[in-house]
Amino acid sequence: MDSDPANIASANTSTNTRKRKWETDFHLEINDLPSEVLLHILSYLHVDDICNYHIYLYQLIDISLVCRKWHGLSQEPSLWEYYPMYLDEEKFPEELGKLVNPKLNRIHSVYFTGTRTSPFSPHYAHIIFASQECSDCSAMVNQLSESERFNLTQIRKSIKTLDFTQYIVKKDLFEAICRLPKLKHLDIRLSTFQLEGSFHHITKLTALDYLGIDFAFDRTIYSGNLFSHLSELTNLTRLELTRLPLGENLSILSKLPKLRDLRILGPIMFPHIFLETLSTMTQIEALNLGYVLRNYEQTISKPLPNLRSMHLSANLSSQRFIPFLIPFLASLRDISFTGGRDTVLSREQISEMVRLAPRIDWVSVQCKGIKQDDLDELKEMFQGRVSFSNLTEGFEIVEEPWSRW
């Protein structure tokens, strides 16, 4: 064995040199990755929450300032697909540039904010969707260049999410919306309808995944067969119906095989039919019922095995609280309850509800009779298995919808 210090030092130097050479040869920086890989990484910046759309815009701006290569990547149209376009009617036509910006011609989400009292059909939506049919906008569209008109066409082809707030949705606009080939999310709960019997066009939206409608703004939206049209939207997984026409029969909901999330606000005319129908919808995973029933003498006839989350707003007497909820509790993970003026619950009733729901781990109660001290004791009683939330402080009883109608 060679013990000469000089030879040992020489060998160590040779090893260190080879090691440094290996590190040098295989050292990579992020910009050494192909542009396709970098774009895939940056695509994870997409917007998960509508409220955070501005954060995403700032992220894209920050990316553009890193270096020349990243500046070029930040201009890639695919990164702008998930940037929600917000169009405010009051700023029209100053923001018209958004519509014809080539970066935005592949966006997936568009949110319109209009002025419901406006005497004319709002411009933005008509320029995008109904420019040929709308005389209010045809002159402005004619002033656009050919490339700008092309960008409008591309927007129509790519939109998957459409949201109207304080907007006037007239017949020609609604029919144009129903021709969007990729539309999956349509929220028209906060708009005024002037559809003149054209609601049946909604059956063309075969890819629709979510639909939200508030019927208070136009009682002529339906012609007695509203739900026969909805039953043809067989890809719906989420449905939100607010202030239904009292004559509607909800039994047609059983014809939506993929429906997982059902939200209904406001009273219904035939509660026994609704409860019977709900009993057959075993695929339901989330249920939100807001003052749906005038009384709670009946409940569903059999449990919903896939139900995980439930929110109930009800003027429910303390005597009917547990009997009504029992069929819903077997598979529930979380439940929130908001009581009406006649609802006064006790700690014992909440405890009984939790015992009847073996899988539950989150409970929120907002009604008279429940204090924070009660929930603290319940938490100790169930040894931290269940989280309890109490929003009762400052709680005001909301007037039941039918008392206003």
Side-chain angles (χ1 to χ4, degrees):
M1 184 174 181
D2 191 355
S3 58
D4 188 348
N7 292 335
I8 294 175
S10 176
N12 288 340
T13 301
S14 177
T15 301
N16 291 337
T17 301
R18 287 198 302 272
K19 183 177 180 181
R20 285 194 299 271
K21 186 176 187 303
W22 182 90
E23 289 178 342
T24 303
D25 290 345
F26 291 90
H27 178 70
L28 290 175
E29 295 184 352
I30 191 169
N31 277 348
D32 294 326
L33 294 173
S35 296
E36 294 80 5
V37 175
L38 284 174
L39 278 175
H40 181 73
I41 294 172
L42 295 177
S43 69
Y44 285 94
L45 294 174
H46 68 79
V47 180
D48 290 318
D49 185 342
I50 292 173
C51 297
N52 292 331
Y53 76 96
H54 58 285
I55 296 177
Y56 179 68
L57 178 60
Y58 295 148
Q59 288 173 334
L60 286 180
I61 293 174
D62 290 342
I63 287 171
S64 69
L65 299 177
V66 172
C67 61
R68 184 174 298 176
K69 181 173 183 176
W70 284 40
H71 176 78
L73 291 173
S74 71
Q75 308 303 308
E76 175 63 33
S78 63
L79 289 181
W80 291 86
E81 290 180 6
Y82 294 98
Y83 173 68
M85 180 191 288
Y86 281 77
L87 297 172
D88 188 343
E89 196 65 35
E90 294 182 356
K91 298 179 180 178
F92 183 88
E94 291 83 357
E95 289 188 333
L96 184 59
K98 286 185 180 181
L99 297 179
V100 295
N101 188 329
K103 286 184 189 176
L104 302 179
N105 66 13
R106 294 173 61 185
I107 59 168
H108 289 175
S109 305
V110 181
Y111 300 86
F112 295 99
T113 300
T115 51
R116 188 182 295 157
T117 57
S118 174
F120 54 86
S121 297
H123 288 87
Y124 280 131
H126 277 74
I127 283 183
I128 294 180
F129 305 120
S131 57
Q132 303 303 317
E133 296 88 351
C134 179
S135 58
D136 291 331
C137 306
S138 58
M140 190 162 296
V141 172
N142 289 336
Q143 295 177 6
L144 300 177
S145 67
E146 187 143 344
S147 62
E148 290 172 334
R149 292 189 196 182
F150 173 78
N151 290 337
L152 290 180
T153 304
Q154 294 301 105
I155 289 177
R156 294 189 196 108
K157 291 180 179 179
S158 63
I159 286 179
K160 296 180 180 179
T161 297
L162 204 51
D163 192 317
F164 290 91
T165 301
Q166 302 286 327
Y167 225 75
I168 298 175
V169 181
K170 289 188 176 181
K171 178 180 178 180
D172 59 342
L173 174 57
F174 186 75
E175 292 178 5
I177 290 170
C178 291
R179 291 194 292 268
L180 297 177
K182 295 185 179 180
L183 191 63
K184 291 188 175 183
H185 179 113
L186 178 60
D187 191 343
I188 46 178
R189 288 174 298 158
L190 298 175
S191 290
T192 300
F193 303 105
Q194 298 174 10
L195 301 187
E196 303 172 13
S198 61
F199 188 75
H200 65 278
H201 288 284
I202 200 168
T203 58
K204 299 176 182 177
L205 296 174
T206 55
L208 206 61
D209 173 83
Y210 166 86
L211 177 63
I213 306 178
D214 188 335
F215 297 92
F217 298 126
D218 185 4
R219 294 292 180 173
T220 67
I221 189 176
Y222 71 103
S223 56
N225 58 354
L226 164 66
F227 278 76
S228 65
H229 301 318
L230 292 186
S231 67
E232 297 184 40
L233 303 177
T234 55
N235 285 312
L236 275 182
T237 62
R238 296 176 295 156
L239 180 61
E240 190 160 357
L241 305 172
T242 304
R243 290 176 281 197
L244 281 168
L246 293 179
E248 283 298 339
N249 185 342
L250 294 176
S251 63
I252 206 76
L253 293 177
S254 62
K255 296 186 177 181
L256 300 175
K258 297 182 180 180
L259 193 63
R260 299 288 184 270
D261 187 337
L262 176 62
R263 306 181 184 191
I264 301 179
L265 174 62
I268 56 178
M269 180 68 77
F270 306 109
H272 62 288
I273 295 178
F274 170 65
L275 292 171
E276 288 175 8
T277 302
L278 189 58
S279 301
T280 67
M281 300 173 67
T282 55
Q283 78 278 12
I284 291 293
E285 298 175 0
L287 186 62
N288 188 329
L289 303 178
Y291 296 103
V292 168
L293 308 176
R294 290 177 182 267
N295 63 67
Y296 292 82
E297 296 300 319
Q298 298 173 292
T299 187
I300 56 176
S301 59
K302 57 183 179 180
L304 302 176
N306 293 303
L307 187 63
R308 300 292 181 266
S309 177
M310 181 176 182
H311 176 76
L312 179 64
S313 298
N315 190 26
L316 184 58
S317 68
S318 56
Q319 292 79 12
R320 293 299 307 163
F321 179 70
I322 296 296
F324 178 79
L325 284 178
I326 282 177
F328 295 97
L329 297 177
S331 58
L332 273 184
R333 299 282 187 179
D334 61 82
I335 184 171
S336 58
F337 175 72
T338 302
R341 59 166 54 89
D342 298 329
T343 307
V344 182
L345 298 180
S346 65
R347 181 181 62 200
E348 289 72 21
Q349 288 174 305
I350 301 298
S351 174
E352 182 180 359
M353 179 189 71
V354 174
R355 286 195 180 96
L356 292 171
R359 299 183 180 182
I360 205 163
D361 56 22
W362 185 81
V363 176
S364 175
V365 180
Q366 185 178 18
C367 70
K368 293 183 289 185
I370 299 296
K371 305 298 182 185
Q372 186 61 49
D373 291 344
D374 296 320
L375 297 184
D376 291 340
E377 290 190 27
L378 285 168
K379 185 176 181 179
E380 292 183 12
M381 184 184 304
F382 292 98
Q383 301 178 346
R385 177 176 72 84
V386 182
S387 298
F388 292 91
S389 173
N390 182 23
L391 304 175
T392 303
E393 291 191 16
F395 170 55
E396 297 181 2
I397 301 297
V398 177
E399 190 178 20
E400 287 78 5
W402 49 78
S403 64
R404 300 194 304 271
W405 298 348

